[in-house]
Structure formats: C-alpha cells, structure tokens
Amino acid sequence: GLTEEAGPEETQETPPDIEVPPAVRADPRLVDVRLETGEDGATVTVVSGDRTGLIADVAGALTVQRASIRSARAWTQDDLAISVWEVDDTHLDEGILRQRLEAVVSGRTDPAARLRPPRDAGLEPSVQVRHDASHQATVMEVRVEDRPGVVYLVCSALARLDVSVRSAHLTTLGPQAVDVFYVQEQ
C-alpha cells in the first residue's frame, strides 16, 4: 500500500544530467532513443520535447516490442522530456525500437490493438489516489492483473485525461501488478 513517507523523487538527489543530442535541441519534435544492454536487461533513454502522452508512446513502443518494463522515471531538463526505462529484455535493437516508437508517435501503430484482452476471471483492477503522499505530485497506485501492456494502458488513459506521468514505480506480486505513478495535471 501507499505510505505517508516522501516519494522516491523527493528523497533522491536531482535526476542525472542526460546528454541531449543537438538535433533534439534544434527540433524538440524529434525523439531520441538510446539503448544500453546489460546482463539481465536493458536501459532505454528517451529525449524529446515535453508533451503529454510521450510516456504512453514509449510504453506502447516497448509493449509492441514485447519488452517487460521494470521501472520508468521521467523528468524535464532544459524544457525537454527525459525518460529512463529499465526493461527485462536483453535482445532489443535500438534501430528497431526507434522505428516502433516513431510508428506509435505518428499513429501508424496502435499498441492497444496488439494487446490480448484480459481473462474474464481476472483480478478486479483497483486505483487509489493519494494527494497527501507527495508534495510535488499526486500519487496513484494501480493494482491490476499483470499482463503485457499494463503500463501502456494506464499511461495512455492518463494522457487522454491530460495528466502527465512524472515517474512510475512498477512491482509484480504473483499474478498482480502493483504500479505507483507520480502524476501532475498541466
């Protein structure tokens, strides 16, 4: 459950300074994708102009690639959006991921169309909203049956409500995903 203590973004030091490619600085509509593969997963770093729905687009592209998202953190740096994603997949290809993301951003690919519907006998989703759990954002805890695309579905629903995701903290407990999102209205 949610606690009264400060959220991770309030206890951690400032987010790391991420190198911003000159092309993105010149044209914030561009989306830069970088991939670092480790032994047990990969780190995906995305830099682009800040806009509501960008997190949902990245989650959608990772969903289309069938990469399991372990964590996501987003922040702004020099009026640009930075997001860092930890995923389980060690076989992602940076070029293909970039193409998938461009296809999602442009609307050529709909990640929702690629998701299997939930089983009928699944766990009922629950959402708890805590306005008092963080000074800088609203904390939302989502408990739902774990399946591919959960992060995308939540983030795209928030984007449709014009709510931006500041960070996501994802946990799987058996068959259940317990995901905590720090969100802000425009």
Side-chain angles (χ1 to χ4, degrees), residues 57-75:
D57 288 345
V58 177
L62 290 167
T63 297
V64 169
Q65 281 301 106
R66 293 187 171 87
S68 180
I69 301 167
R70 284 195 294 231
S71 72
R73 185 156 183 229
W75 64 93

Side-chain angles (χ1 to χ4, degrees), residues 38-57:
E39 285 182 25
D40 64 342
T43 301
V44 178
T45 303
V46 178
V47 181
S48 185
D50 195 13
R51 66 174 172 80
T52 300
L54 179 61
I55 297 288
D57 288 345

